[in-house]
Each structure stands twice: as structure tokens, then as C-alpha cells.
Amino acid sequence: MCGIIGYVGKNCDIGQILIEGLKRLEYRGYDSSGIAIVQDGQLVWEKTSGKIAKLEKRLRGIDLAGSLGIAHTRWATHGEPNRVNAHPHFDSAQRLALVHNGIIENYLTLKKSLEAEGHTFITETDTEVLVHLIDRFYKGNALEDAVQQALKMVEGTYGILVISAEEPGKIIGARNGSPVVVGIGEGEYFIASDVAAILKHTRQVIYLEDHQMIVATPDNFTTVTIENEYVEHIVQEVDWDLEMIEKGGFRHFMLKEIHEQPETIRNAMRGRLIHDTGDAKLGGLAMAEKELRDVRRIVLLGCGTSWHAALIGKYMIEDKSRIPVEVEYASEFRYRNPVIENGTICFAISQSGETVDTLAAMREAGKRGAKCMGIVNVVGSTIARESHCGVYIHAGPEIGVASTKAFTSQITVLGLLALLQGRMRNISSAEGQRIIEAMEKLPDQVAEILRTNDEIKGIAEKYAHHNNFLYLGRGANYPVALEGALKLKEISYLHAEGYPAAEMKHGPIALIDENMPVVFICPKDNAYKKILGNISEVKARKGKIIAITNEGNNEVVEMADHVIYIPRNLDFLYPVLAVIPLQLIAYHIAVLRGCNVDQPRNLAKSVTVE
Ligand code: G6P
């Protein structure tokens, strides 16, 4: 959730490096932030509630030159998001500073024993306990030694950075469950939660594994375990560039990412379609070919938007391959007693690859004998590394907190998986070729829908003042309705519900009157005739109807107050197209209501706490 960044190296304007890094990490949490650097053997620090811009303002005019420092942007778990609880946290003598992403689960027990020894705490956070614990072990020995001793006593998750005013040329980073990436410069090191924060300075990175730490000075670094065993590290080259993490002329990251979808969908399919045989090739799954052939059941795990993608994947895979697919919220799966029989494979679907519930659910499935694969965007993320194998969706960095391009790439990859599984079973080569042809139309069709942005904005203007919305769809478009409602909730703070259209009459129909906008996802698929009946039911109760359908559906045009057209394609691919107008509706309503589109309140992009 939170974002951390640290620097050790040359004497420079370290304040700027850290603030710029924090801005790139702000999507991870944005309720408070802080910075600490070492100057003349002393810690100089500042922190504040609110956004990074507020911290930047407070730092104006302060000399932030130095060669060692850490900074943090917070998404509160323990303790209100105020200035006191903001990171960094310090020991009583203020010789140590620490930033933390994660949760120390046994902090109350540790706190009691530290209090009994005379430590006093000034914050409500779990993190402050950790810095005091390090202080307890820091008695003339090296900082890394004290950090190791402290971490051995800690239960929970952490990505931490620690500095000491007494060792002004050294930074320690450690991880367990929360990501830590080390950027290698020339005579300088950047350590952060995410490569986006350090990409401006270097592309050479090392991803720390759980229970590992890095000890870096300007001249050197070592990676060791918490038990102080030396660890061989692998330096990797990041293939993102700076442009990919900038807004590129768009007002918001979300709008940019919505508009990137023709390209990202193309990237998700690139090199994976075999025209001659009508097959899909997912190189990352090659090592699991036997399991894929023998599979008897598939379990798809995810959270939030990724869970919606999984639901669509169920429709796609069952339809094309006839393999039963179970979709489960990762947070539920991990705490019940799930049945994993022989022949079950599991896919963890996650944009970030760091969502703690999805990761834990995947581990649980693995423990119970399932082969676990990832469908992930962020290269080198924990799910990508811990899964037996997997498929990258190649959507590029997604910065807007509300997921858009990752969603369409996830369902594109699930479509490829459906084709792959289908071809191993009951789909002919000719049918496979027909699917490939249809999939290849998607990028241009998405671009066509994006060209109706102004009309969609016009519809958003009419409804931006409403407080409740209903989204209805059938079949694979029912999860699209869920996703449309989620987008609106996330960024506009409006109440919106997604429902299977036919279920409306078992409850939500009671809500319908002339003030209720109802968004129908009703392309001309095999459920089309049925959904017409549901549209009539809303119409009869004077609900306002916004329909997403194909050109030429005159029955819908006559009944609806507004129609948004999407191009024709195969039924099972409509979700990729139908969600685009819903993303745009949510975006424009949020902008019209003055909401912070890229950083909606209370949310974070990557949820690394339970
Ligand atoms: C958070 C984000 C959502 C995202 C969900 C799952 O709630 O705000 O946009 O869908 O996490 O994230 P993941 O990275 O696992 O796809």
C-alpha cells in the first residue's frame, strides 16, 4: 500500500530525488508523507498529512542536500493519517529513521516489552515499534546487525528502509511480503517499492526476495538474508521508459490509460496467435503443457477489477474448452478449506502482482497441490516470481488507481487461454482461425469506440448529478456490469450496483423510478432477446436507460434514452469492447464532480495488507 524510497550516494539535492520518487509512488497511498535525510551527522526530517504536494510546500526553502535519505507516502492502516503517524518514524534519541510498507502483526506484544524497558512511543503506528526494536539492538554494533536482530522478532509484512545518523553513508533495505527494488547507479543506490520511482536514474535493478536485506554504501552493496547468509543477486534491466510513466498530454493517467487500450490489447496478443493452425501460444505456460492438457478444473483467483476479469474468463474458458472454472475472491479462498483435486490448476490474476490476498490465496492453492500460474502485469512482481509459471499481460505501467487497460489486457489473455484450452479439446482449427480473426479486430474496434468519447461525455454531463446507478448485463457482460459499477464507485464516490439483468426483478427493480439511470450492456449476442425484456421492465417504471449495443439494434434504440454503439464481434469478446464506454462514463462523471480521478479517496493501487 504505502510507497518507500531511499537514496545513498553522492552529495546532491537528495530532497529532489526523494520527492520526485514519492510522486511516482503516490498511487500506492496518499494520505500523508514524510522525508528524513542525514546532514552533518544529524537527522533532518519533515512530514505532513495530505498529498506529496503539501510535503513539497513545507520543504520549500529548506536545504535538502545530502547523500543519505529516505521518504514515504502512506495509506493508513494503524493510526489516523495525521502528521504524527506519518513516516519516517524515529527512536527516542532520533538517531535512527525508518520507513515501512506493510503491517507488523505482533507490534502490541513488542510494544509492551519495549515500554517495560523504558521506551516511550508517540504515535499509534505499528512501525514505530520496529524502529524502537532496532534501537534496542543498536549498541555500538553495525546497523545491519541491529536490523537483523529486530526483524527476527517481527511477525508480519514489511518493506523497510533504515538509516542512522551515526552511519551517514549506509542504507539498509529489507523485505518480507512487501516489494523492495534496488536501483544500481554509479556510486549511488536507489531503493524503492516500485521501479517507477527510480526509473529516471537507472534501469539496472535487483528485486529483493522475502527475508532478504540489502546493505548499501556509495561504493558497494551486499544482499544477505535476515539470518545474515550471503545471497547471490541477479541484476535485471527494466524495459520501461520514462515516457510510459508520464501523462503524455492527457489530463489524467486514467484517461491516458483508457486511450492506450488499442495498443495494450495488441501487446497482450503479440506473438501469441498462430494463424496457420488457429491456435494460441502462451510461451510462459509452455512448462505447464502437460497440466494444461490434463486439467480437469481451473480456479481463477483475484481481487477487485482482476476478480471481474476472472469472472469473464470463466465464461470464456468454459464456453470454448468445456473445462469447469471456479472464480473466487482471493481473500475468501485463502481462509476457507478449499477443495483442490488432482487435475486442478490455478491462475492468480493481478495487475500489480503484489496484492497480498491474491498472493496468499495462490500460496494456499499451491500448498494443496494445485499448479499455480500467474496472469500478471508487473514484471518481476512477487506473484510473477512465486507462481510456477505464467503469462504477462504486457499492458505497461498502470498508474491510475482505478484499473482500466490492465482489465482489458487481462480478459484478452484469458481469451487466449480459452482458445488454447479449446484447441486442446473441442475447437477445430477453422474455428480457432475464426476466433483469431475476431481477436485481431479488437484493437481497431476499441479505437473506434474511443472516438465516441465526446458523445459519452455528453451523456455523463446529463447524469453527473445523480446519486445512484444500476448496471445490468447478461452472460459474460454481467461481470462487465460489475466492473462499470465499480469504476463509478471508485472514482466518483457514487452508489452504483452491477447486477445480472434477469436478477433485477428479484430486488433492484424496487429502486427504479424516473431518477434511476440504468446502464444496459446489451450487444447483439445470444442473450440479446432476453435482455430486451429487462429493458422494457425498466422503461415501464420510467427509469433512464443508457444502452450499450451494436448499430442497427432498432428495438433498443426505440426504448433507450441514450445509445452508445460498439462494433460487431464474437459474443465472447464483447466484454473487451463493452467496458470501454463504461470506463469513459465513470471518468467523465468523476471529473464533472470534481473528484481526484487518479487518486480516489481511501483507495490504493496496490493492496499489500489484508
Ligand atoms: C486495488 C486497486 C484495484 C485493483 C485491485 C486488485 O483495490 O485499487 O484497481 O483491481 O487492487 O489489484 P491487482 O494489482 O491484484 O490487480
Side-chain angles (χ1 to χ4, degrees):
M1 315 288 293
C2 308
I4 59 174
I5 175 160
Y7 174 88
V8 66
K10 312 161 188 154
N11 198 20
C12 59
D13 187 355
I14 192 172
Q16 199 190 342
I17 294 176
L18 296 179
I19 292 291
E20 267 182 25
L22 280 189
K23 283 186 183 164
R24 303 262 189 222
L25 293 172
E26 201 171 15
Y27 72 88
R28 299 179 68 87
Y30 32 83
D31 58 38
S32 51
S33 59
I35 179 171
I37 65 173
V38 175
Q39 271 180 346
D40 303 325
Q42 289 208 321
L43 287 174
V44 175
W45 60 268
E46 184 54 274
K47 42 190 188 172
T48 178
S49 60
K51 298 267 161 88
I52 313 290
K54 198 166 156 200
L55 178 68
E56 203 175 11
K57 220 172 180 182
R58 286 184 88 114
L59 291 172
R60 225 167 264 160
I62 300 177
D63 170 22
L64 292 173
S67 54
L68 178 69
I70 55 176
H72 186 270
T73 182
R74 181 167 186 243
W75 186 90
T77 56
H78 292 69
E80 230 185 283
N82 55 25
R83 181 169 190 257
V84 176
N85 290 332
H87 300 215
H89 292 292
F90 311 97
D91 62 320
S92 307
Q94 294 218 352
R95 57 179 184 150
L96 294 173
L98 178 145
V99 289
H100 170 218
N101 170 27
I103 293 184
I104 307 299
E105 284 165 7
N106 59 339
Y107 82 103
L108 284 174
T109 322
L110 294 170
K111 192 171 184 175
K112 266 196 203 136
S113 75
L114 286 162
E115 276 170 340
E117 291 171 20
H119 289 257
T120 45
F121 293 90
I122 55 171
T123 80
E124 302 159 283
T125 66
D126 51 332
T127 305
E128 193 187 11
V129 173
L130 182 53
V131 70
H132 278 256
L133 194 59
I134 296 170
D135 174 56
R136 180 214 232 180
F137 293 114
Y138 192 40
K139 306 273 180 243
N141 49 344
L143 181 58
E144 57 270 34
D145 181 51
V147 173
Q148 280 168 344
Q149 292 192 57
L151 289 180
K152 281 183 209 158
M153 299 184 70
V154 156
E155 287 162 23
T157 54
Y158 52 81
I160 54 164
L161 296 172
V162 194
I163 56 174
S164 162
E166 289 175 7
E167 296 183 65
K170 185 188 282 179
I171 188 166
I172 312 282
R175 85 158 261 173
N176 182 39
S178 305
V180 175
V181 59
V182 182
I184 303 167
E186 276 180 30
E188 54 185 358
Y189 297 96
F190 307 81
I191 314 180
S193 307
D194 183 335
V195 284
I198 58 181
L199 201 54
K200 184 174 170 192
H201 309 285
T202 179
R203 284 186 179 197
Q204 305 297 315
V205 300
I206 297 169
Y207 296 99
L208 285 196
E209 301 284 345
D210 279 352
H211 307 292
Q212 286 183 0
M213 62 190 260
I214 173 158
V215 184
T217 64
D219 320 310
N220 210 343
F221 74 95
T222 45
T223 43
V224 291
T225 65
I226 305 305
E227 306 295 334
N228 203 29
E229 286 146 5
Y230 174 74
V231 179
E232 198 70 53
H233 55 260
I234 303 166
V235 179
Q236 301 186 36
E237 168 129 7
V238 179
D239 61 0
W240 295 359
D241 57 37
L242 261 190
E243 209 180 282
M244 290 165 88
I245 53 170
E246 319 245 90
K247 285 191 198 145
F250 285 91
R251 185 165 166 203
H252 296 103
F253 280 113
M254 182 182 178
L255 190 61
K256 176 189 172 223
E257 287 156 7
I258 290 174
H259 279 84
E260 279 172 355
Q261 289 175 109
E263 195 50 32
T264 49
I265 292 168
R266 201 169 276 128
N267 286 344
M269 295 188 286
R270 201 181 296 282
R272 291 172 168 173
L273 298 172
I274 308 172
H275 296 81
D276 292 352
T277 53
D279 245 309
K281 184 177 117 205
L282 294 168
L285 299 186
M287 64 183 270
E289 195 168 335
K290 181 168 165 14
E291 281 84 358
L292 291 176
R293 278 190 188 281
D294 298 345
V295 63
R296 294 189 4 224
R297 196 164 67 108
I298 296 177
V299 176
L300 302 178
L301 301 167
C303 300
T305 290
S306 295
W307 182 76
H308 293 160
L311 280 179
I312 294 167
K314 174 182 167 73
Y315 283 91
M316 291 171 146
I317 297 167
E318 287 188 344
D319 180 35
K320 298 296 168 219
S321 72
R322 315 304 303 140
I323 301 168
V325 180
E326 204 177 297
V327 176
E328 191 142 9
Y329 281 120
S331 55
E332 290 298 316
F333 181 90
R334 62 182 290 198
Y335 286 121
R336 59 180 188 81
N337 193 3
V339 179
I340 301 280
E341 304 150 311
N342 270 347
T344 302
I345 58 170
C346 160
F347 283 91
I349 306 179
S350 173
Q351 186 285 129
S352 61
E354 299 293 348
T355 301
V356 77
D357 282 325
T358 310
L359 176 62
M362 183 183 86
R363 286 175 179 158
E364 185 61 36
K367 255 194 254 158
R368 288 167 187 263
K371 182 110 186 173
C372 294
M373 315 188 196
I375 296 181
V376 167
N377 190 32
V378 177
V379 175
S381 57
T382 310
I383 292 177
R385 284 181 292 126
E386 282 198 18
S387 48
H388 295 122
C389 55
V391 189
Y392 281 120
I393 62 171
H394 297 308
E398 191 180 64
I399 312 280
V401 165
S403 183
T404 51
K405 63 174 180 172
F407 177 72
T408 46
S409 295
Q410 286 166 339
I411 48 184
T412 303
V413 165
L414 286 161
L416 293 174
L417 188 61
L419 172 59
L420 178 88
Q421 291 283 2
R423 284 287 291 120
M424 284 178 177
R425 288 171 181 75
N426 45 338
I427 288 185
S428 67
S429 169
E431 170 70 357
Q433 283 165 336
R434 209 165 64 88
I435 291 174
I436 288 179
E437 233 172 76
M439 291 190 84
E440 285 186 318
K441 284 187 194 154
L442 288 172
D444 288 344
Q445 293 187 329
V446 167
E448 196 179 323
I449 300 168
L450 290 171
R451 286 196 282 277
T452 63
N453 178 44
D454 288 350
E455 289 151 45
I456 296 173
K457 188 172 170 205
I459 297 172
E461 276 161 4
K462 289 211 163 60
Y463 294 97
H465 62 283
H466 283 65
N467 290 321
N468 296 291
F469 287 74
L470 200 55
Y471 286 71
L472 302 175
R474 297 184 80 130
N477 290 312
Y478 149 56
V480 176
L482 293 179
E483 176 60 10
L486 178 66
K487 286 287 88 79
L488 193 66
K489 274 186 270 205
E490 281 179 313
I491 60 171
S492 308
Y493 321 140
L494 289 173
H495 172 242
E497 273 192 69
Y499 243 79
E503 275 292 301
M504 174 187 67
K505 51 189 171 298
H506 299 293
I509 199 164
L511 300 169
I512 292 173
D513 61 17
E514 66 280 11
N515 293 316
M516 177 64 97
V518 183
V519 182
F520 276 98
I521 299 121
C522 48
K524 211 146 189 183
D525 58 9
N526 61 5
Y528 170 67
K529 286 275 177 236
K530 296 282 169 205
I531 211 167
L532 281 182
N534 306 129
I535 299 177
S536 308
E537 288 154 13
V538 171
K539 179 93 182 149
R541 288 159 184 84
K542 300 195 166 48
K544 297 282 178 288
I545 296 163
I546 303 164
I548 293 163
T549 190
N550 315 103
E551 199 120 20
N553 281 3
N554 295 332
E555 303 106 320
V556 173
V557 175
E558 274 165 31
M559 282 190 275
D561 297 271
H562 310 276
V563 181
I564 301 167
Y565 292 113
I566 57 174
R568 289 276 179 134
N569 205 320
L570 295 181
D571 285 8
F572 92 111
L573 296 175
Y574 274 128
V576 182
L577 303 175
V579 76
I580 310 288
L582 305 188
Q583 296 170 343
L584 286 169
I585 289 175
Y587 171 79
H588 289 301
I589 290 182
V591 171
L592 289 160
R593 292 177 70 97
C595 300
N596 187 335
V597 171
D598 285 333
Q599 293 170 356
R601 72 182 178 206
N602 304 340
L603 298 178
K605 181 81 185 148
S606 177
V607 180
T608 51
V609 294
E610 277 190 51

